[in-house]
Amino acid sequence: MKRKNIAIITGASSGLGLEFALQMDKIFHKMDEIWLIARRKERMTELAKLIEMPTKVIAMDVTDVNDMRAFGKILEIEDVTIRMLVNSAGFGLMGAFDSLSIEEQLDMLDVNCKALTRMTYYCIPYMQKNSRILQIASSAGFLPQKNFAVYAASKSYVLSFSRALREELRGRNIWVTAVCPGPVDTEFFDVAERSGSTLGLKKWTMVDVERVVREALLDSYDKKAISVCSLPIKSFHVMAKVIPHSWLLGIMNLLK
Ligand SMILES: NC(=O)c1ccc[n+]([C@@H]2O[C@H](COP(=O)([O-])OP(=O)(O)OC[C@H]3O[C@@H](n4cnc5c(N)ncnc54)[C@H](OP(=O)(O)O)[C@@H]3O)[C@@H](O)[C@H]2O)c1
C-alpha cells in the first residue's frame, strides 16, 4: 500500500501554525493529510472544518514526554512519509529575567527548544528526498535582547540548530528553513505582554500573519536557509551581522 504523504504542524491552534495549515491546504493538493498539533483541541477541530484536505487533530502538549512517545507510536503505526514539518509551537515572556517566574521561563525553553528538537528528531526518519522542515525561530534570535533574554536566547538556539541540521541533511535532500519573523500580529502578545510591554519600535514593524507564512512557504520551496519577512527585519538581520552586538545593544538601550 502506498504510504500517505503528510504535513505536520505544531502550534496549529493559533497564529502562524493555524495560518500554515490554511495556506498549505490551498497549495499542496498532493498531500494526503495535514496533522494539526496543539493543546486546544476545539480550536483545531474548528480549523479542520475550514480545510479541504483530510486532517488529523492531535491534541497534545509537546513538552510532555508521554504525549510525545504516544505521538511517536502514531507515526510508527501509520507508516507515513512526512513531506513537511512546521514547528510553530512556542511562546515568549517579556520582562527582566529576575522579575519573571523561573519556572515559566524554563517552560518556555521546554517548548521553544526541547520540544522542537524532540519533534524534529522523531520526524526525520519518516522524511524523504525533498521533504521540508520549517523551524519557527524569530528575529529575536539575531541579537541578545534585554527584557526578552530567555526568549531571544531560545530563538538563537532554534536558528543555530536549524542551520547546522540543514547542513547535516543536505546530502539527503531534506531542506531546513529557519523562519525568523519580527513582530507578527497573533495571540503571541497576549501571553508575552502579561509580564512586560513591547518596544514601540517593534510594534511599528508588526506584520500580518498571512504575509509571514506566504514568504516562509516560498522560501522553503526555494530551499532557503533563513526566511526573513519585511524590509525593517531584513535590515535588522544585516545590521546584526555587520555591527558589533555591543553597539546595537547600546542603541537599543536608548529606545523606548
Ligand atoms: N507573533 C510574533 O510576533 C512572533 C514573532 C517571531 C516568532 N514567533 C514564533 O512563532 C511561533 C508561533 O507563535 P504565534 O505568533 O503563532 O503565537 P500564538 O498565536 O500564541 O500560537 C502559539 C501556538 O503554540 C502552541 N503551543 C504553545 N505551547 C504548547 C505546548 N506546550 N504544546 C503544544 N502546543 C503549544 C499554542 O497552542 P495551544 O495553546 O493550543 O497548545 C499555539 O497554537 C512561536 O514559536 C513564536 O515564538 C512569533
Side-chain angles (χ1 to χ4, degrees):
M1 206 173 77
K2 187 181 156 283
R3 280 181 165 185
K4 267 192 276 190
N5 284 314
I6 66 159
I8 296 178
I9 306 171
T10 74
S13 63
S14 170
L16 288 157
L18 185 151
E19 183 62 26
F20 269 109
L22 291 174
Q23 292 199 23
M24 277 187 202
D25 184 46
K26 292 201 186 91
I27 302 169
F28 297 115
H29 298 292
K30 286 189 187 140
M31 208 82 81
D32 295 312
E33 239 171 42
I34 303 185
W35 290 14
L36 308 172
I37 296 177
R39 291 165 301 183
R40 287 171 292 177
K41 189 175 181 183
E42 332 72 58
R43 290 268 197 120
M44 293 186 289
T45 310
E46 286 307 306
L47 170 62
K49 288 181 193 160
L50 305 175
I51 294 177
E52 272 181 37
M53 256 189 270
T55 49
K56 185 192 275 294
V57 169
I58 304 176
M60 61 179 263
D61 183 335
V62 290
T63 65
D64 184 308
V65 178
N66 291 327
D67 280 4
M68 282 300 292
R69 287 206 184 110
F71 170 73
K73 277 270 167 260
I74 299 177
L75 282 177
E76 237 176 83
I77 293 164
E78 299 242 349
D79 195 24
V80 290
T81 297
I82 301 172
R83 290 284 166 205
M84 185 170 275
L85 166 66
V86 179
N87 269 313
S88 190
F91 72 96
L93 292 173
M94 289 171 189
F97 171 67
D98 63 354
S99 73
L100 296 172
S101 140
I102 186 60
E103 295 310 328
E104 281 189 332
Q105 292 185 88
L106 293 174
D107 286 348
M108 182 165 56
L109 291 178
D110 280 347
V111 182
N112 295 2
C113 303
K114 276 177 76 174
L116 173 142
T117 307
R118 194 188 293 275
M119 180 59 79
T120 307
Y121 189 85
Y122 277 31
C123 289
I124 288 173
Y126 297 90
M127 295 192 156
Q128 281 185 0
K129 190 176 166 199
N130 280 325
S131 290
R132 297 288 199 275
I133 301 175
L134 286 97
Q135 309 287 32
I136 312 305
S138 167
S139 61
F142 298 155
L143 187 74
Q145 293 201 15
K146 175 177 132 179
N147 295 330
F148 216 14
V150 175
Y151 178 74
S154 77
K155 293 301 181 177
S156 291
Y157 168 86
V158 176
L159 183 54
S160 168
F161 170 59
S162 303
R163 300 197 72 182
L165 186 64
R166 175 184 173 82
E167 298 313 314
E168 289 186 19
L169 297 179
R170 181 186 286 279
R172 284 148 71 179
N173 273 302
I174 297 172
W175 300 99
V176 184
T177 301
V179 182
C180 300
V184 191
D185 196 4
T186 68
E187 291 171 22
F188 176 86
F189 290 96
D190 298 347
V191 179
E193 289 192 325
R194 276 200 322 241
S195 43
S197 56
T198 315
L199 279 178
L201 177 72
K202 285 194 187 170
K203 290 225 160 116
W204 176 73
T205 60
M206 184 87 79
V207 290
D208 63 63
V209 68
E210 291 84 1
R211 180 172 166 198
V212 175
V213 169
R214 191 170 55 244
E215 289 195 21
L217 286 170
L218 285 172
D219 288 339
S220 161
Y221 179 79
D222 287 343
K223 303 177 180 167
K224 288 194 181 157
I226 301 185
S227 176
V228 182
C229 176
S230 86
L231 190 60
I233 303 303
K234 283 188 167 114
S235 313
F236 175 53
H237 187 209
V238 174
M239 283 193 286
K241 281 184 180 172
V242 298
I243 301 176
H245 283 188
S246 56
W247 295 11
L248 286 173
L249 290 173
I251 294 167
M252 286 181 79
N253 271 338
L254 301 174
L255 300 173
K256 286 268 173 289

